[in-house]
Amino acid sequence: MKQLSISILTLAVLAGFSSCQKNNMAVDTDLVPASAAKFNTSVLQSTYYVRASAVPFSLPVGVTTVSDKARVINLTYASSTGAAAGVQYNGPATITIPAGKALDTLKITGLFAGYPLATRVDTLRVTVGGGDVPKNDYNNTYTIIMRKLCDVSLTSLAGNYTKTREYNNTGALAYGPYTTQVHSLTATSATTATGKIRNVYDWDWADLTVNLDWTDPINPKATIPQQQTFGSDAYFVRSAAGKPNAFSACDNTITITLDFLNAAGAVTYAGYQVQLVK
């Protein structure tokens, strides 16, 4: 009986030890992190310039673990400004991470035709996660600011602007429409040019020199350096500081705001705006 009791006790100890081993194995397994999807970048917002060449916007999408099987991850899109799939952009509903890989590239293409005016700016939020892999607790949403950007063509900017109008310094229409002409545009660098504008003010002024600068593609400048009009009114003119003096390669418009000066250099009228529209 004594030997039997010892045997039973030994079996109980061994069973308990085996149970502890199994429990420990279960705990160890639970400590392995589950796979999750995320944008593999520390910056979660940027601007995407939509061009006619349809260059896509690329984003690295990753998973936190590698698998021996391909995994499909869902993508969702939301826009507070009304950007619509198939109108302002195209983007896939899913992305596949290949077997043995942890990264792939998401490509979203802005639709140039969806931005008839350069003034439209959209906010698009892309969230990654779902499908074979849930979203991560962080880096799961990326914000894209979408806006139209046209390559500057001096040939397109040249020509007749048949809807030119003038506005006084209170913003009221003062004169127009009438026709002005932009000509003799010549590049002075990769992002600057100079040329002439004919018939500004619809008077007997000489052609005005205009300098174009699109070094900052979002804020292209059209500057009138100080010069004499040589008209019967004998004005000098120059661009008014701090006022709109810009052009749009997308919309084929040029806006210049002029200060009028007398021969002594004193300003006689400030902030007279001329808007050239083709």
Side-chain angles (χ1 to χ4, degrees):
M1 289 295 293
K2 184 176 181 179
Q3 288 180 334
L4 180 60
S5 297
I6 292 173
S7 298
I8 292 172
L9 178 61
T10 300
L11 289 173
V13 170
L14 290 175
F17 178 72
S18 176
S19 175
C20 287
Q21 282 186 315
K22 288 180 181 178
N23 287 338
N24 285 340
M25 288 176 64
V27 170
D28 289 342
T29 301
D30 290 342
L31 288 176
V32 176
S35 186
K38 65 174 184 175
F39 289 106
N40 202 54
T41 173
S42 59
V43 178
L44 295 175
Q45 178 172 313
S46 57
T47 299
Y48 170 34
Y49 299 113
V50 181
R51 298 176 180 266
S53 54
V55 177
F57 184 80
S58 297
L59 277 172
V61 175
V63 286
T64 54
T65 61
V66 176
S67 173
D68 60 354
K69 297 179 180 179
R71 287 163 292 177
V72 177
I73 303 172
N74 294 342
L75 297 159
T76 55
Y77 303 85
S79 174
S80 59
T81 57
V87 181
Q88 276 75 40
Y89 71 93
N90 280 328
T94 61
I95 188 170
T96 300
I97 305 296
K101 301 290 185 180
L103 286 174
D104 205 346
T105 301
L106 167 64
K107 292 187 176 182
I108 298 168
T109 303
L111 301 179
F112 194 75
Y115 291 83
L117 297 177
T119 52
R120 176 170 183 137
V121 180
D122 279 316
T123 299
L124 182 66
R125 289 171 59 84
V126 188
T127 301
V128 60
D132 294 335
V133 184
K135 68 181 179 181
N136 203 29
D137 291 334
Y138 62 94
N139 281 32
N140 56 52
T141 300
Y142 198 99
T143 300
I144 306 171
I145 308 300
M146 302 175 63
R147 62 189 308 163
K148 185 178 185 179
L149 183 65
C150 301
D151 295 325
V152 174
S153 167
L154 298 182
T155 302
S156 296
L157 284 172
N160 292 329
Y161 288 72
T162 60
K163 301 173 185 176
T164 298
R165 290 178 171 85
E166 300 172 3
Y167 299 84
N168 62 29
N169 55 15
T170 68
L173 178 66
Y175 183 72
Y178 64 97
T179 298
T180 52
Q181 183 187 46
V182 176
H183 64 96
S184 304
L185 288 174
T186 304
T188 53
S189 76
T191 58
T192 60
T194 188
K196 298 286 187 179
I197 306 178
R198 180 168 297 152
N199 199 39
V200 173
Y201 207 57
D202 199 21
W203 203 247
D204 57 351
W205 288 7
D207 294 359
L208 296 185
T209 296
V210 60
N211 295 326
L212 305 179
D213 186 341
W214 59 98
T215 304
D216 178 356
I218 301 305
N219 297 294
K221 303 298 184 185
T223 305
I224 303 295
Q226 185 167 320
Q227 57 200 284
Q228 191 173 1
T229 64
F230 294 103
S232 57
D233 44 27
Y235 285 128
F236 286 81
V237 292
R238 70 182 179 203
S239 287
K243 301 294 182 179
N245 289 283
F247 72 96
S248 170
C250 294
D251 303 332
N252 279 328
T253 59
I254 300 174
T255 299
I256 54 176
T257 306
L258 302 173
D259 285 342
F260 290 64
L261 301 87
N262 60 25
V267 175
T268 59
Y269 192 91
Y272 195 79
Q273 188 175 106
V274 183
Q275 295 182 1
L276 288 69
V277 180
K278 278 194 171 181

